Amino acid sequence: MVLCDDISALNNVSSYAYWAVNGTTVTGKANGTSGSAVGYLTKNEGIFIADDDTLYIGDAGNNRIVVVPLNSMSNISIIGDGYGSNLSQFYYPSGVFVTAAYIYIMDAYNHRVQRWLRNGTNPVTIPVRPYMDYAYFLFIDKYSNLYLGDCGYSQVLRFSPNSSSPTIVAGNGTAGSTASQLFCPLGVFVDDSETVYVADYSNHRIQKWAYGASFGVTVAGNGLNGNSLMQLNYPKSVVVDTNGYMYIVDTGNNRIVKWAPNANSGVCIIACSGVSGNQMNQLSGPVSLAFDSQGSIYIGDMGNNRVQKFAYINNTGPTTTTIQMKFTSPLSNLIVSSTNGTKTTISSTQMVTSRILTNATVRIISTSTTPMQSAITIRSASTSPMISIMAITAVIMISHLYTFNF
C-alpha cells in the first residue's frame, strides 16, 4: 500500500506544493527491464517508507520484499526465501506496511498476512483467509488494527489485534456502485479519526466511510472511467494528508492526481501526459505511492518494474506567471480558467492574457452552441522573450472541458 510511518512528512506538505516533472529511478532499471538480480524488480506493487526513510517494496513477481535505505541506497537487502508457502516464503507479496515494531506483508496468492519483526526475522501468520478472498494491499492504524481491501468480496475488513474475526467497515460483500457498495476495493487509507478512504477500483472512484457508517461518500471521481480531471480510471491507491488532500494513483491514466477536500475535480501532479511509457516524466500502470520525510513522492511503477522518485520542489505558497493564449480563428463564448480561480471569457477575440499559478492547470470550456476549430498556442508572457509552452489544434466542442498542465 502507501504512506510513511512518520506522519510528519504529510504534515509538512503544503496545499501549494508541487513536485519535479522528471523522476529518478530509485530501484529497478530506468528502461523498465525486469529481473531477479539485486537492483532489479519484477511486477513490483506496494511500497512503504518507514520513519527512518527506509523504502520497502513488494517485489511481487520475484516473491520477495526489497529493502532500500534511502540514505544509503547501495545497501539493498531482501526479506523472504522466495516462492512457496512456508513461513519465510511468499507467493506474490503485493502489499507492505511497517510500524515501529513490525513489517506486515500481504502475501496475496497464499491468502495470508505475514508479520515479521522490523529486523526481518521471526515471521508469523495472521489468519485472514476464512474471511476474505483476494486482497493485495493492507493498512495498520494507530490502534494496530489491520485493514484489508478485499477485491474478491468487494468489502474492506478490519481485524482488531485480539479479535478472532473481522468487522466489515466498508462495502456489504456484494459488488456494485451504490453508496453502500464497492466493486473490487484495493488500496485503503485510514486517518486518525478512523475514517476509511478506499480506492474503489472498478467503480473508478474514491469512497470515504466515516467510522461506523453503513454507506460511503464519493470524494474523488464520478464513477465513470475517463481521463478528464473530474474522472479516474481504475485507481489503485490513495493517501490522505493532514489537510484532507488526497493523492491518488490513477492507474489506468498512468498519472498521479491530487484532489482537494470537497472538490469536484483533481489536479495532475505527476506524469500528466497520461501516456504510458518509461521516460522520466512517464509512468506505466502505477500502483502505489509513498512520501519520504522531505515530502518527495515515490511511485511503485509496476509496468516499468521500477520505483520512481519525484523530488519535492515547493512548499512556500502560490506563485503566479502570466500566459498568453492565441487562437488562430475567432472564437466566442469560451471560458478560460486556471487552478488559482482566474477566469476569463473570450468573445470574438483571438488573444487572451491570464495570470495563473505556476505549475497550474488551465481549463478551457465552450458554452457555444456550435463546435469551433482552432489552433491554440500558449506562451509564457512572464519571460522575455516569450516562450512557447505548447501548440495544439483542437475542435472545441460544446460544453467539453480541455485541460493543459504546466
Side-chain angles (χ1 to χ4, degrees):
M1 185 26 195
V2 286
L3 189 68
C4 55
D5 192 39
D6 184 2
I7 197 68
S8 62
L10 293 180
N11 291 338
N12 294 331
V13 176
S14 164
S15 58
Y16 303 113
Y18 60 93
W19 291 263
V21 172
N22 291 324
T24 57
T25 301
V26 175
T27 192
K29 296 304 171 183
N31 64 4
T33 302
S34 64
S36 59
V38 174
Y40 284 81
L41 300 172
T42 298
K43 294 184 179 179
N44 54 293
E45 293 226 15
I47 62 174
F48 192 96
I49 297 178
D51 51 3
D52 60 354
D53 270 350
T54 297
L55 169 66
Y56 295 79
I57 305 165
D59 188 10
N62 284 321
N63 299 299
R64 66 190 183 186
I65 302 298
V66 176
V67 183
V68 184
L70 296 177
N71 297 320
S72 181
M73 290 191 291
S74 61
N75 294 325
I76 296 175
S77 59
I78 302 297
I79 295 175
D81 293 330
Y83 167 77
S85 59
N86 292 333
L87 270 180
S88 62
Q89 294 176 312
F90 301 116
Y91 184 14
Y92 206 82
S94 52
V96 59
F97 197 103
V98 182
T99 66
Y102 298 111
I103 304 166
Y104 294 82
I105 299 163
M106 186 66 239
D107 191 10
Y109 294 163
N110 278 324
H111 304 282
R112 66 186 184 183
V113 173
Q114 297 292 88
R115 190 187 70 195
W116 298 59
L117 292 179
R118 186 76 177 257
N119 63 6
T121 62
N122 293 15
V124 298
T125 298
I126 299 176
V128 298
R129 181 64 181 106
Y131 309 103
M132 48 76 67
D133 188 14
Y134 276 97
Y136 295 92
F137 305 109
L138 70 171
F139 191 97
I140 309 296
D141 71 12
K142 64 181 181 180
Y143 302 110
S144 298
N145 295 312
L146 164 67
Y147 296 77
L148 299 178
D150 183 0
C151 178
Y153 292 150
S154 290
Q155 59 191 3
V156 177
L157 302 175
R158 180 181 67 222
F159 294 81
S160 300
N162 299 314
S163 175
S164 59
S165 61
T167 300
I168 299 173
V169 296
N172 60 12
T174 301
S177 59
T178 69
S180 63
Q181 293 177 304
L182 301 168
F183 191 176
C184 188
L186 292 179
V188 175
F189 181 95
V190 183
D191 68 16
D192 282 348
S193 66
E194 297 185 83
T195 297
V196 177
Y197 294 79
V198 185
D200 192 6
Y201 179 72
S202 293
N203 280 325
H204 315 290
R205 65 188 184 182
I206 304 299
Q207 293 294 93
K208 176 181 176 181
W209 291 66
Y211 181 80
S214 58
F215 61 88
V217 176
T218 301
V219 290
N222 61 10
L224 301 174
N225 67 310
N227 59 12
S228 83
L229 287 171
M230 295 180 288
Q231 296 174 301
L232 300 171
N233 188 8
Y234 295 104
K236 284 194 172 181
S237 295
V238 59
V239 172
V240 185
D241 71 18
T242 52
N243 296 312
Y245 285 82
M246 293 170 284
Y247 299 82
I248 301 166
V249 180
D250 190 9
T251 303
N253 285 321
N254 303 294
R255 67 187 182 186
I256 308 301
V257 178
K258 181 179 179 180
W259 208 290
N262 304 312
N264 59 14
S265 63
V267 175
C268 185
I269 57 172
I270 291 172
C272 295
S273 73
V275 177
S276 175
N278 63 10
Q279 300 302 306
M280 291 299 100
N281 62 350
Q282 293 178 309
L283 301 169
S284 179
V287 171
S288 51
L289 177 152
F291 288 85
D292 69 13
S293 61
Q294 303 303 309
S296 294
I297 291 177
Y298 294 70
I299 307 297
D301 189 14
M302 186 178 75
N304 283 320
N305 304 293
R306 66 188 185 182
V307 173
Q308 295 293 94
K309 173 186 176 181
F310 292 84
Y312 190 37
I313 300 297
N314 181 275
N315 192 36
T316 59
T319 58
T320 62
T321 187
T322 300
I323 63 168
Q324 283 189 340
M325 283 164 279
K326 184 177 181 180
F327 302 87
T328 57
S329 302
L331 303 175
S332 61
N333 300 309
L334 266 184
I335 297 174
V336 178
S337 62
S338 64
T339 48
N340 66 345
T342 300
K343 183 177 289 186
T344 304
T345 301
I346 304 173
S347 182
S348 299
T349 185
Q350 292 179 248
M351 181 80 75
V352 61
T353 299
S354 177
R355 290 183 65 78
I356 67 166
L357 283 174
T358 303
N359 204 48
T361 297
V362 172
R363 302 179 176 91
I364 300 176
I365 188 168
S366 171
T367 58
S368 175
T369 57
T370 58
M372 299 169 288
Q373 181 167 342
S374 176
I376 306 172
T377 301
I378 303 179
R379 300 187 299 173
S380 171
S382 296
T383 59
S384 181
M386 287 190 291
I387 300 172
S388 178
I389 300 173
M390 65 178 65
I392 67 167
T393 299
V395 178
I396 311 297
M397 300 299 294
I398 303 167
S399 300
H400 190 92
L401 179 68
Y402 297 83
T403 60
F404 308 100
N405 298 290
F406 296 88

